[in-house]
Amino acid sequence: MGLRLKFNLVLLLVFAAGMGVSAYVSNRLLDENAKQETLRSAGLMMESALSVRGYTVKQVKPLLESQLATTFLPQTVPAYAATEIFSALHSKYPDFSYKEATLNPTNPRDRAVDWESDIVQKFRGDERVTELIGERETPTGRMLYIARPITIKDAACLACHSVPSAAPASMIKIYGGNNGFGWKHMETIGAQVVSVPMSVPLANAQNTFKTFMLSLGGIFLATFVVLNVMLSLLIIQPISRMSAAADKVSTGDFNVPEFASSGGDEIGVLANSFNRMRRSLQKAIKLIES
């Protein structure tokens, strides 16, 4: 096995190990960054929904108090307002969704589906849990969700949700008397759920990963070529010439010219040593012959 082959094998092993470690670390980091980016988007949507709810309670509902005495206006309900606003967003960005998933909702569109019911039950099972973050697979790809519990902390809400007879007749007329009743004070009846797609951040992460790995592969390839050229010019060729010259000198052929000193590096020192050995050997043979 020649020196060049040994050198290249070691170099390839080092490069392969470096590529493997770089691929693993960079892929993990990029995936985590994609998840954090998606999480920030979901968090922004959740805070926006809370802001809409707060705005509805503090500024919209007080202006319509006089009408509420005779007519039920769903626009004054914080959950309705937030859901309507994000429904408009959903029509333009269908992968982004907000839902106030409820086990026994007044409005049937808010009824929790299976996976949302599981989230609500987790909140109901442990009131110390204030937020759940998770991922789920959908027909359109991976989705990240943030969920927060909906708990009846304001007893005034029970005026419309305790029993049908206590609810406004105008509300019963709109939604009927079979849904959204039997709620209790401090009971968790549902969850605010924001769902955000991970497909775009993940695709960007994969594109970045491919670009990075291709660039790293190009750098490794260029380094491999440059090191091989340097190895050939600075080590392999000088040693090969010295080996051929030594072979001729060993047979008594002193017509081989001396090697020019190439500097103070190891090859230059070896060339000077070879020249001294050649001259000494030539003098010794002349003395013997004389």
Side-chain angles (χ1 to χ4, degrees), residues 14 19 50 59 115 160 171 184-185 194 197 199 214 247 262-263:
V14 172
M19 289 284 286
L50 294 175
Q59 299 193 40
W115 69 274
C160 295
M171 188 186 86
K184 298 177 182 179
H185 188 232
V194 168
S199 56
L214 286 174
D247 185 63
S262 59

Side-chain angles (χ1 to χ4, degrees), residues 157-176:
C157 295
L158 298 178
C160 295
H161 298 285
S162 56
V163 293
S165 59
S170 54
M171 188 186 86
I172 298 295
K173 183 177 180 180
I174 296 174
Y175 298 112

Side-chain angles (χ1 to χ4, degrees), residues 45-66:
M45 284 187 64
M46 179 65 77
E47 294 303 322
S48 299
L50 294 175
S51 298
V52 171
R53 289 172 63 94
Y55 173 81
T56 303
V57 171
K58 295 177 181 179
Q59 299 193 40
V60 176
K61 188 175 181 180
L63 297 176
L64 301 173
E65 287 289 353
S66 58

Side-chain angles (χ1 to χ4, degrees), residues 63-103:
L63 297 176
L64 301 173
E65 287 289 353
S66 58
Q67 297 183 46
L68 288 173
T70 57
T71 306
F72 176 74
L73 299 174
Q75 291 79 8
T76 62
V77 179
Y80 179 89
T83 301
E84 284 294 306
I85 287 176
F86 279 97
S87 291
L89 176 69
H90 181 72
S91 64
K92 189 172 183 179
Y93 299 97
D95 291 333
F96 292 76
S97 66
Y98 170 81
K99 183 177 179 180
E100 303 218 355
T102 310
L103 298 178

Side-chain angles (χ1 to χ4, degrees), residues 204-219:
N204 291 337
Q206 286 301 310
N207 289 334
T208 303
F209 175 73
K210 291 177 182 177
T211 301
F212 171 74
M213 293 306 297
L214 286 174
S215 300
L216 190 61
I219 293 173

Side-chain angles (χ1 to χ4, degrees), residues 90-159:
H90 181 72
S91 64
K92 189 172 183 179
Y93 299 97
D95 291 333
F96 292 76
S97 66
Y98 170 81
K99 183 177 179 180
E100 303 218 355
T102 310
L103 298 178
N104 180 24
T106 300
N107 192 330
R109 72 178 179 181
D110 296 328
R111 189 174 301 279
V113 296
D114 291 342
W115 69 274
E116 294 168 339
S117 297
D118 293 338
I119 292 174
V120 177
Q121 293 299 340
K122 289 180 182 178
F123 286 132
R124 289 168 67 91
D126 187 354
E127 60 185 23
R128 294 172 299 176
V129 179
T130 58
E131 184 176 82
L132 289 173
I133 299 173
E135 299 176 23
R136 63 188 187 91
E137 292 293 336
T138 70
T140 58
R142 282 169 61 187
M143 301 286 286
L144 182 143
Y145 66 82
I146 294 180
R148 294 180 184 175
I150 300 175
T151 304
I152 307 302
K153 296 180 180 180
D154 187 356
C157 295
L158 298 178

Side-chain angles (χ1 to χ4, degrees), residues 234-279:
L234 301 179
I235 298 177
I236 301 296
Q237 290 183 13
I239 290 179
S240 296
R241 289 196 299 269
M242 289 182 194
S243 176
D247 185 63
K248 290 182 179 180
V249 170
S250 67
T251 60
D253 183 2
F254 293 101
N255 293 322
V256 179
E258 292 189 355
F259 289 100
S261 178
S262 59
D265 58 9
E266 288 78 1
I267 298 298
V269 172
L270 180 61
N272 290 331
S273 298
F274 179 83
N275 291 335
R276 286 196 303 272
M277 182 192 70
R278 176 183 176 280
R279 288 194 294 267

